[in-house]
Each structure stands twice: as C-alpha cells, then as structure tokens.
Amino acid sequence: MAQQRFDHLLQAIHSAVLKAQELTEEQHIMQIAKYFDEDGKPLVQELHVPTLDPDDDPNVMTTLSVPLLSLLPPSAIKIKELKLKFKVGLGKIKIEQDSKNGPSLDVDMGGGGGIFGKKQATAKVEITFEAGDPSESFLRINDYLVKSVV
C-alpha cells in the first residue's frame, strides 16, 4: 500500500504552488532584462516624428530615442487560484509520544490497490493565472524614462 502522511501530502502541494509562483517571478525578471543592456542602460528604439514647432515644415522630422520599456511594458502573471480535488483512502490516526506536531493521519494514495482498488491515484487540478499589476518601481522607472524622451 502507498500509505503517506496527510500533512506530508499537503506540504508537497504547498511546495509545488510556491515553486510555480517562483517560476512566474523568474519569468518576470527575465522579461524585464530584455529591455536593458548588460550595463543596465535601457534599450531604445529610434522614432522619426514631426517636430513640435508649428512654424516648421510638416515634413521636417525629429528623431526620438524612446526606451523600449516605455513602448512595451512587461506583463507579469501570478497564480490567482488553485483548486485541487483528489480521492484518497483514509488510514489510521497515529499519535506519537515524542511528536511535536500532534497526531498524523495516514492516507492511501492508491498505488497498491488500497480502499478504492485503483492502481493509480487521481487528481483534478485547476490553476488560474491572472495578469499582475506592474510594480511601483516599474511604474516609477517607466515614468522617468518617458520624461527623458519629451
């Protein structure tokens, strides 16, 4: 039988969610790195736009160096919700004398037949991601870069 402690199962699920969140944070950092060179200077796109002087010929253009970060702000994702449904067979409650965590509950994950007579444990997992708001520091950097263009 594949008897496991229920608290260990919950700890494993918790660790998996934390790891998924860590991956989304790493993705965000790698995405921001696309907007700066190795010296930390912002990558720019040169744009040719008409001059702002109303007396100038409309065909006269001026060149602006616009930081890419201000043109294409990075999008962050985060885990909004996790739903996990699974079936486990309940085993014995164990109370150990020297345990600081209190009683533990054994569960049958289905690997050896167990209560449900299944060869494989099943789970239904739903993870919902959502777009995160830009951080305050991103907004300030972006505001500074936009002001440097004008």
Side-chain angles (χ1 to χ4, degrees), residues 86-103:
F86 53 90
K87 292 182 179 180
V88 295
L90 298 179
K92 294 182 179 179
I93 295 177
K94 293 182 182 177
I95 300 174
E96 298 174 11
Q97 299 298 338
D98 58 351
S99 176
K100 296 176 185 176
N101 299 326

Side-chain angles (χ1 to χ4, degrees), residues 58-72:
N59 294 327
V60 173
M61 299 290 200
T62 186
T63 302
L64 296 178
S65 293
V66 181
L68 291 179
L69 186 68
S70 64
L71 295 173
L72 305 168

Side-chain angles (χ1 to χ4, degrees), residues 1-5 89-92 106-109:
M1 258 190 251
Q3 292 281 323
Q4 301 291 328
R5 285 181 42 182
L90 298 179
K92 294 182 179 179
D106 282 348
V107 293
D108 183 350
M109 297 299 294

